[in-house]
Amino acid sequence: MQTNLMDYNLNELNEIVLSLGESKFRGNQLYNAMLNGKDYEDKINLPKTFLNNLQQKEFFLQPLKIYKTFSSKDNSTKKFLYKLNDDNIVEGVLMSYKFGRTLCISTQVGCKMNCSFCASGLKFTRNLSAGEILGQVVAVNKLLGGTTKKREITNLVLMGSGEPLDNFENVTKFLKMVTDENGFNFSVRNISVSTCGIPSKIEALADLGLNVTLCISLHAPNDTIRKKIMPIAKSYNIESVIESAHYYYTITNRRIIFEYTLIDEVNSSPKHAEQLANLLQGLTCHVNLINLNDVPERGLKGVDDKTRDIFLHTLIKHHISATVRRSLGDDIGGACGQLRSKELKEKTKN
Ligand code: SAH
């Protein structure tokens, strides 16, 4: 069976290398080549016989391929389409700020969650493997001229297409790999995992001790509204989501981020803001207000600036830390909830 070496962590690579009768330091070299986006065609600092042996045993070095790049007019944002080995496509977004560069990563091809305002959920195809998730970091870092030692990406957000906690095993393996000090050595402080809120998985993530920043897509102050826009709310009530957030904070000591997309006539009145403030009292958290990016096929609209500001100030008045998230890349379909739908439409047209 063919296996992609990108899916293996350093320990596993070392085992493979030892089982092929090579000395362990070859594992480190292979790991480095892999994280720097090399494939067998490239010049790799390893004996030819060893590389041939790997290929014979059907261990492949297959870095993820970026096959299309789009740049926003102001150049602050780039959107990438990655092609997977089975020809599926996932998207990623790179945002450049004064303090560094943030890469938005996908964890599934499509998504099962089917939130009414989000384009990613239009069709679920499959989970990404740990190596395919890591491959996005490898590909973009390489494109920017970076290496493992001199990384060109500062922050990672798991907010692309997919629900990270619905692909728990591969996502947590990826998180361990990308924070490995022998590899990219990202600090957990610079990694955010965004979830629609699956309480048991939030608790399991806390227990793993990875301590990444947890972002919860709440989008509603009560179950009635949440059920209307997020089908997952039918399985887990809002109380249990908030309880798991308390648990995450207790275990990790990391402030919880709540994402709240303001939707006209759905969740954006001052009353909703008050309800939200009540719900979050006593939890160390921050609310990120997001302007809805229109997804025309879903028929939902964003709010005007005044409605947004009243919502924001109502939260602040009730001592809830809150800000409005700057939207980048909407001219290239790279903003929240816009990923994938356009490409899929184009694919079905052809
Ligand atoms: N499944 C994960 C991560 C993917 S979505 C999650 O639910 O968090 C990343 C963020 O973008 C989520 O907060 C999501 O609710 C938000 N989002 C999705 N569609 C959007 C849209 N059309 N406008 C604004 N934000 C959107």
Side-chain angles (χ1 to χ4, degrees):
M1 200 191 65
Q2 294 190 3
T3 37
N4 190 352
L5 289 169
M6 286 291 283
D7 283 319
Y8 296 102
N9 63 30
L10 181 56
N11 279 341
E12 291 163 339
L13 277 184
N14 282 338
E15 272 170 35
I16 293 171
V17 165
L18 289 175
S19 76
L20 294 178
E22 293 283 340
S23 46
K24 203 171 147 191
F25 75 94
R26 297 282 182 220
N28 283 297
Q29 289 177 315
L30 190 59
Y31 190 59
N32 240 307
M34 178 180 104
L35 295 182
N36 286 321
K38 302 266 169 88
D39 63 28
Y40 289 132
E41 310 289 300
D42 292 316
K43 207 166 151 264
I44 302 180
N45 190 16
L46 281 167
K48 261 259 150 334
T49 47
F50 172 50
L51 293 175
N52 287 341
N53 201 358
L54 277 172
Q55 287 181 81
Q56 259 167 22
K57 299 269 173 353
E58 303 209 41
F59 287 114
F60 285 93
L61 252 184
Q62 292 164 323
L64 210 61
K65 298 263 182 326
I66 297 178
Y67 96 106
K68 270 192 198 171
T69 305
F70 305 86
S71 287
S72 65
K73 283 199 197 85
D74 66 358
N75 249 327
S76 66
T77 310
K78 283 189 167 38
K79 183 170 85 168
F80 303 109
L81 301 184
Y82 310 97
K83 193 167 241 170
L84 308 174
N85 287 337
D86 59 2
D87 280 349
N88 270 306
I89 290 164
V90 286
E91 298 186 26
V93 182
L94 180 74
M95 293 156 283
S96 301
Y97 303 93
K98 270 191 224 111
F99 64 81
R101 295 195 184 100
T102 298
L103 183 66
C104 179
I105 294 179
S106 292
T107 54
Q108 294 176 321
V109 184
C111 184
K112 286 181 214 155
M113 299 301 141
N114 217 13
C115 300
S116 65
F117 45 84
C118 181
S120 309
L122 294 182
K123 184 172 168 273
F124 174 78
T125 306
R126 68 170 177 87
N127 281 331
L128 296 187
S129 72
E132 287 171 328
I133 305 174
L134 184 67
Q136 300 168 47
V137 183
V138 171
V140 175
N141 187 50
K142 185 179 177 190
L143 182 84
L144 296 170
T147 60
T148 41
K149 299 282 163 289
K150 206 185 139 291
R151 210 179 347 100
E152 290 293 337
I153 300 166
T154 34
N155 293 64
L156 301 175
V157 294
L158 277 64
M159 292 187 186
S161 69
E163 165 50 43
L165 300 189
D166 183 41
N167 183 12
F168 193 82
E169 221 172 282
N170 294 340
V171 164
T172 50
K173 180 168 190 185
F174 156 75
L175 291 172
K176 286 178 195 155
M177 284 164 88
V178 87
T179 51
D180 175 9
E181 58 187 20
N182 297 305
F184 281 118
N185 195 19
F186 273 91
S187 156
V188 286
R189 305 213 151 254
N190 294 332
I191 302 179
S192 300
V193 173
S194 181
T195 174
C196 62
I198 304 174
S200 59
K201 296 289 166 57
I202 290 176
E203 286 165 18
L205 186 66
D207 292 339
L208 275 183
L210 286 166
N211 294 1
V212 291
T213 301
L214 180 70
C215 305
I216 300 180
S217 296
L218 202 60
H219 304 311
N222 60 47
D223 280 321
T224 315
I225 298 178
R226 205 161 190 261
K227 278 182 196 161
K228 278 191 201 147
I229 54 178
M230 301 180 74
I232 191 77
K234 294 178 189 145
S235 308
Y236 309 104
N237 63 29
I238 207 162
E239 286 292 318
S240 64
V241 175
I242 301 300
E243 248 173 58
S244 69
H246 278 277
Y247 184 82
Y248 195 86
Y249 177 73
T250 308
I251 300 288
T252 64
N253 211 25
R254 304 298 313 275
R255 179 176 79 154
I256 309 295
I257 309 290
F258 288 99
E259 292 157 287
Y260 196 104
T261 299
L262 292 165
I263 309 173
D264 194 33
E265 296 193 5
V266 175
N267 63 0
S268 50
S269 75
K271 266 222 144 50
H272 296 144
E274 274 175 23
Q275 238 184 359
L276 178 62
N278 271 336
L279 186 71
L280 304 182
Q281 280 317 323
L283 176 61
T284 304
C285 66
H286 178 84
V287 176
N288 241 328
L289 295 175
I290 310 172
N291 280 323
L292 179 82
N293 291 302
D294 294 346
V295 181
E297 57 268 47
R298 307 277 193 173
L300 295 169
K301 275 201 333 245
V303 298
D304 56 30
D305 291 0
K306 191 166 165 231
T307 308
R308 183 197 64 201
D309 290 346
I310 292 173
F311 199 96
L312 175 69
H313 291 118
T314 308
L315 289 178
I316 292 171
K317 199 174 76 196
H318 287 83
H319 312 290
I320 300 293
S321 152
T323 44
V324 174
R325 181 191 285 168
R326 211 170 110 206
S327 184
L328 289 180
D330 43 1
D331 58 329
I332 50 168
C336 292
Q338 295 186 319
L339 294 184
R340 230 172 81 90
S341 63
K342 188 161 173 286
E343 185 66 17
L344 271 187
K345 266 189 237 149
E346 277 166 11
K347 256 181 122 182
T348 39
K349 255 194 277 168
N350 294 335

